[in-house]
Amino acid sequence: MAQQIELKSTVKESQLGQRLDQAIAELFDDFSRSRMKEWLLAGKVSVDGVVVTKARIKVMGGEEITVQAEIEDEERWEAQDIPLDIVYEDDDLLVINKPRGFVVHPGAGTPDSTVLNALLFHYPQIAEVPRAGIVHRLDKDTTGLMVVAKNVPTQTRLVRALQKRRITREYEAIAIGKMTAGGMVEKPIGRHSTKRTLMAVNELGKPAVTHYRVAEHFREHTRIRLRLETGRTHQIRVHMSYLQHPLLGDIAYGGRARIPKGASEELTAMIRGFDRQALHAVMLKFDHPSSGEEMQFHAPVPDDMVEMAEALRQDMRLNHEDEY
C-alpha cells in the first residue's frame, strides 16, 4: 500500500525568477529535493490547476502549487518481533543502542532479522517512511547509538542535518599499535578495487573526514575516541587501516591479533578470541528536528570492549617497564 499525500502552497514573491523545481523544493522542504523533482517529472505537480512536468520553467510569484503524490510503504519487508534497546523516544524519533551482530537494513545475505524489520513490528506506521525511518547505519558488529525518524518530515530534516555535518557522532575504539597522538584523516573512500564487499581509500571515492584522539595507551594497542564529519561505509575502519592502526578484531581491514611480548595466557586468549571490530558509537548529538532543542545521548561501552581494555590495562601494570 502507498500513502496518498496532497500538498498546497503559494509561490512567494521573493522566489520570482526561480526555476520551478527549485521553488517547490523550497516550498515543501519537508521532502528531499530529489523526491520533489521526481514527483514534478512524473506529473504530480500542478501550477494554478495545470499539471506541469518541466523543471526549468520560471515562476513569477503568487502561483498556487499543488502536489498530489504517494509515498510507498516499506511493504516488501517483513515486520518481525525483535527487541530494540530504546534509549530515547518521542512522537518524531527514537534513539536506539544497537548490539553486535545486528544488521541495520536487509540486503544480500541478510533478507530479514534486521533493525528495519524490528522497527516495522514495533512501529507499524513507520512503514510509510522510506527505509523505515533509518537515517544512518552502523556495521553489523559495530555497537552503539542510532537515530531513527518516525515520519517523513523528521527523516528529511535529520538527513539534511547529517549532510550539513550538524549531527555529532563520537565513537570509542581499540586500535592495534602504539598511537602517539591524535589527528585527522581526510581521505576519500570508495569500493575496494578487488574485494567488492570492502571499501578502501580511493582518490576517486567520496570525501571522508575522521577526527581521532588518544584516550589511553597500552603496550601494543591504543584506546581512541573518534568523531565523524562524514558517514561513508566502513569509514572509521578504512581510515584507521590506512593509518596502519586497524581496529582490534577487524580481520577484514587488517586487524590481526597482535600479542604484547610476555603477555599472560589469559590476555593472549582474549586478544585472539576478540571476534568483532572493537568499535562503539558512544555519543550522538543533534538539534531536535521539531523543537530545535539540543539533544545529546550516550551509550555505555559494551562489556566485551570494557573487559578487553581492562585486560590491556592490567598488562600495562604488570609490564610497566614498557610504558611511555
Side-chain angles (χ1 to χ4, degrees):
M1 251 181 76
Q3 178 196 15
Q4 303 293 323
I5 62 165
E6 183 175 82
L7 311 171
K8 288 180 181 288
S9 191
T10 303
V11 178
K12 303 179 188 119
E13 289 182 18
S14 61
Q15 293 180 294
L16 170 68
Q18 274 189 351
R19 287 172 36 150
L20 179 59
D21 58 344
Q22 294 172 325
I24 62 173
E26 283 185 20
L27 290 173
F28 308 109
D29 64 356
D30 280 347
F31 298 88
S32 66
R33 283 177 175 268
S34 58
R35 174 168 287 213
M36 292 307 303
K37 189 164 184 179
E38 191 179 297
W39 284 340
L40 173 63
L41 299 176
K44 309 287 187 186
V45 177
S46 301
V47 180
D48 290 333
V50 179
V51 172
V52 178
T53 57
K54 290 187 169 65
R56 302 177 75 88
I57 68 165
K58 300 286 173 55
V59 297
M60 303 300 291
E63 296 97 327
E64 293 292 325
I65 308 290
T66 305
V67 181
Q68 289 183 307
E70 52 188 40
I71 300 174
E72 290 297 324
D73 284 0
E74 294 283 350
E75 254 194 338
R76 61 191 182 277
W77 309 121
E78 183 187 352
Q80 293 177 303
D81 186 2
I82 302 166
L84 291 170
D85 181 0
I86 298 167
V87 175
Y88 172 84
E89 179 179 2
D90 61 27
D91 291 342
D92 293 315
L93 57 86
L94 64 146
V95 175
I96 65 170
N97 183 13
K98 189 187 84 67
R100 62 169 294 177
F102 200 6
V103 173
V104 170
H105 194 286
T110 314
D112 56 19
S113 300
T114 68
V115 171
L116 183 145
N117 299 104
L119 289 167
L120 291 173
F121 178 87
H122 294 287
Y123 307 95
Q125 76 281 7
I126 216 167
E128 297 170 2
V129 188
R131 299 179 306 284
I134 291 166
V135 173
H136 60 109
R137 303 185 189 187
L138 294 175
D139 297 340
K140 175 183 177 182
D141 285 326
T142 298
T143 53
L145 296 169
M146 286 177 55
V147 61
V148 177
K150 286 185 173 180
N151 52 60
V152 172
T154 298
Q155 187 186 45
T156 303
R157 291 169 191 157
L158 284 171
V159 167
R160 191 172 292 142
L162 198 62
Q163 290 167 343
K164 291 183 176 178
R165 304 182 181 185
R166 290 177 182 160
I167 296 181
T168 303
R169 290 168 292 165
E170 287 193 358
Y171 292 74
E172 172 109 3
I174 300 173
I176 294 174
K178 298 177 183 179
M179 298 178 68
T180 54
M184 178 181 77
V185 188
E186 189 170 7
K187 289 290 178 181
I189 290 175
R191 285 277 163 207
H192 194 285
S193 57
T194 56
K195 300 171 185 170
R196 302 308 295 166
T197 58
L198 300 184
M199 309 300 284
V201 166
N202 180 337
E203 293 308 321
L204 299 176
K206 293 179 179 178
V209 181
T210 305
H211 300 266
Y212 63 94
R213 63 182 173 82
V214 172
E216 189 174 7
H217 290 113
F218 305 121
R219 287 204 296 150
E220 292 292 344
H221 300 81
T222 309
R223 184 167 67 83
I224 52 174
R225 289 287 290 244
L226 306 106
R227 181 166 52 82
L228 290 181
E229 265 194 47
T230 52
R232 307 302 171 209
T233 301
H234 300 177
Q235 179 173 318
I236 289 174
R237 299 165 65 189
V238 170
H239 275 170
M240 295 312 298
S241 180
Y242 172 80
L243 291 180
Q244 298 187 321
H245 290 289
L247 302 185
L248 173 67
D250 192 2
I251 303 304
Y253 289 102
R256 293 174 189 82
R258 184 182 298 182
I259 311 299
K261 184 180 177 184
S264 68
E265 287 183 17
E266 182 185 10
L267 177 61
T268 300
M270 283 183 72
I271 293 173
R272 288 191 172 139
F274 203 92
D275 59 354
R276 73 167 180 108
Q277 63 268 10
L279 182 62
H280 174 69
V282 73
M283 193 275 279
L284 188 61
K285 184 170 71 174
F286 56 87
D287 291 342
H288 193 284
S290 296
S291 69
E293 179 190 354
E294 183 179 280
M295 317 284 285
Q296 185 166 328
F297 305 97
H298 297 264
V301 178
D303 290 347
D304 61 347
M305 286 177 61
V306 170
E307 290 162 7
M308 188 76 248
E310 182 50 44
L312 292 169
R313 206 171 287 126
Q314 178 69 13
D315 175 70
M316 276 283 284
R317 287 194 287 265
L318 293 172
N319 296 273
H320 56 84
E321 71 273 10
D322 290 325
E323 280 191 69
Y324 63 92

